[in-house]
């Protein structure tokens, strides 16, 4: 393999790493038995604007923006705007979210509108009539490697609710990995190309779906389903893929990782969402 082809392989890896997806797909509208509702937020205005992207519900009652950190004392935040009744101006809420160095915060383009009375007990009937929600931010991180790169996003879910004593913002009621892609190793010589049977990169993928379970009671019950895979078959980020010898044609296939492909049910307990079973250790997929 000549030097031009080697350079092309490396460049392709870098381009792929820079264009990895930011979020897994979720059905646009979901309901549960308790009356909770998950729906898509709609992007307002044109993409590419210098202003942070604003996502709103179809009725305009709720809008969400991701604002970057402006200093050590001003962390990144989700700005949540709520229009109440006939008020001329929306009421603004801010959800602080910690973002890693060189990372980004984006809006999770969905919202969960909570059923009346879900997760709260208020005496004032006017306050009880106000809508409470779950909103989310996507914390994105990236890394570059020699001949490859990686990106990952974590979903942080926050609850905003109206109480008799005022608005309460619970900034982190759930934090789960949502998507990740990793491409490591490369062919830098003809020998590398032969040893790897032309598969010059190890590729790792992790995609998750967060959905509303139909059997919700009071606070929504959330279903978290993941799928992890690697290519070629049998590779691992923890060891050199050639440790077991030269790759063969039978290795040139995508392989699902059974341990990191799983489903969990999250229920709201003691102020946060808890899974019905512990989550497996999958940081080799979910951390860049």
């Amino acid at each position: 393999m000549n030097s031009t082809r080697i350079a092309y392989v490396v460049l392709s890896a870098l381009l792929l790493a820079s264009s990895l997806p930011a979020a897994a797909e979720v059905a646009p509208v979901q309901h549960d038995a308790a009356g909770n509702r998950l729906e898509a937020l709609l992007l307002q205005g044109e993409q590419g604007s210098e202003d942070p992207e604003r996502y709103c519900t179809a009725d305009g009652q709720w809008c969400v923006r991701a604002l970057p950190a402006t200093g050590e004392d001003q962390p990144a935040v989700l700005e949540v705007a709520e229009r109440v009744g006939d008020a001329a101006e929306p009421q603004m809420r801010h959800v602080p979210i910690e973002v890693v160095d060189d990372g980004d915060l984006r809006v999770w383009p969905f919202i969960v509108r909570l059923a009346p009375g879900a997760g709260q007990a208020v005496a004032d009937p006017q306050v009880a009539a106000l809508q409470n929600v779950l909103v989310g931010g996507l914390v994105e991180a990236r890394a570059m490697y020699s001949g490859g790169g990686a990106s990952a996003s974590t979903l942080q879910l926050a609850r905003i609710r109206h109480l008799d004593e005022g608005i309460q913002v619970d900034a982190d009621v759930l934090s789960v990995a949502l998507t990740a892609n990793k491409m490591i190793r490369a062919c830098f010589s003809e020998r590398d190309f032969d040893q790897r049977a032309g598969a010059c990169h190890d590729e790792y993928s992790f995609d998750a779906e967060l959905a509303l379970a139909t059997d919700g009671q009071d606070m929504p019950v959330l279903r978290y389903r993941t799928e992890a895979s690697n290519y070629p078959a049998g590779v691992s980020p923890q060891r050199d893929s050639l440790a077991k010898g030269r790759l063969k044609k039978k290795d040139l296939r995508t392989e699902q990782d059974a341990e990191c492909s799983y489903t969990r049910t999250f229920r709201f307990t003691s102020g946060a969402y808890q899974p019905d079973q512990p989550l497996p250790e999958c940081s080799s997929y979910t951390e860049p």
Side-chain angles (χ1 to χ4, degrees):
M1 186 170 66
N2 59 37
S3 59
T4 300
R5 185 174 181 183
I6 294 171
Y8 175 79
V9 169
V10 174
L11 180 59
S12 297
L14 297 176
L15 291 175
L16 178 59
S18 67
S19 61
L20 296 174
E25 294 183 358
V26 182
V29 179
Q30 299 169 5
H31 305 265
D32 67 13
N36 300 298
R37 172 187 173 97
L38 184 151
E39 62 187 80
L41 294 172
L42 306 176
L43 178 63
Q44 307 297 301
E46 297 183 0
Q47 289 182 299
S49 169
E50 292 183 0
D51 294 329
E53 295 177 338
R54 183 187 301 274
Y55 291 82
C56 297
T57 54
D59 61 7
Q61 183 177 355
W62 295 93
C63 291
V64 186
R65 291 197 305 170
L67 303 182
T70 57
E72 292 184 3
D73 298 329
Q74 297 293 327
V77 298
L78 284 182
E79 179 189 79
V80 183
E82 178 192 9
R83 289 195 175 275
V84 179
D86 297 327
E89 296 295 330
Q91 297 181 8
M92 310 303 291
R93 329 290 183 199
H94 292 91
V95 181
I97 295 183
E98 184 176 349
V99 177
V100 297
D101 291 342
D102 299 324
D104 294 309
L105 175 64
R106 294 180 59 193
V107 174
W108 183 55
F110 301 93
I111 190 170
V112 179
R113 301 199 201 211
L114 303 182
Q120 69 172 9
V122 296
D124 188 332
Q126 290 185 324
V127 174
L130 297 175
Q131 194 170 75
N132 303 315
V133 295
L134 300 177
V135 295
L138 296 173
V139 179
E140 300 187 336
R142 290 173 294 275
M144 301 300 293
Y145 303 110
S146 177
S151 71
S153 66
T154 299
L155 170 62
Q156 181 173 321
L157 213 58
R159 178 174 64 168
I160 297 176
R161 58 179 178 157
H162 300 83
L163 302 176
D164 286 324
E165 58 271 23
I167 299 296
Q168 179 169 318
V169 176
D170 302 314
D172 189 359
V173 297
L174 175 67
S175 183
V176 289
L178 199 61
T179 187
N181 287 271
K182 184 178 297 185
M183 180 181 285
I184 60 177
R185 306 188 175 92
C187 294
F188 296 102
S189 68
E190 289 282 0
R191 182 176 182 278
D192 291 344
F193 187 80
D194 292 339
Q195 285 282 96
R196 297 186 57 86
C200 288
H201 301 95
D202 293 349
E203 301 174 20
Y204 303 89
S205 177
F206 181 94
D207 291 291
E209 175 190 76
L210 188 68
L212 201 63
T214 58
D215 60 342
Q217 297 178 353
D218 191 36
M219 283 291 288
V221 176
L222 303 176
R223 187 185 70 246
Y224 178 63
R225 183 169 58 196
T226 76
E227 182 174 340
S229 63
N230 53 264
Y231 174 88
V235 297
S236 168
Q238 279 76 43
R239 65 176 184 274
D240 189 329
S241 56
L242 292 178
K244 63 178 185 178
R246 184 190 299 267
L247 293 179
K248 301 178 176 61
K249 285 188 177 181
K250 66 180 181 64
D251 299 319
L252 304 184
R253 58 185 174 85
T254 299
E255 176 183 60
Q256 185 181 64
D257 187 310
E259 182 178 1
C260 290
S261 300
Y262 58 90
T263 299
R264 294 289 186 271
T265 298
F266 282 84
R267 288 182 167 81
F268 198 82
T269 305
S270 301
Y273 276 97
Q274 304 295 335
D276 55 350
Q277 300 177 54
L279 305 186
E281 167 53 48
C282 297
S283 59
S284 59
Y285 285 96
T286 61
E287 295 181 2

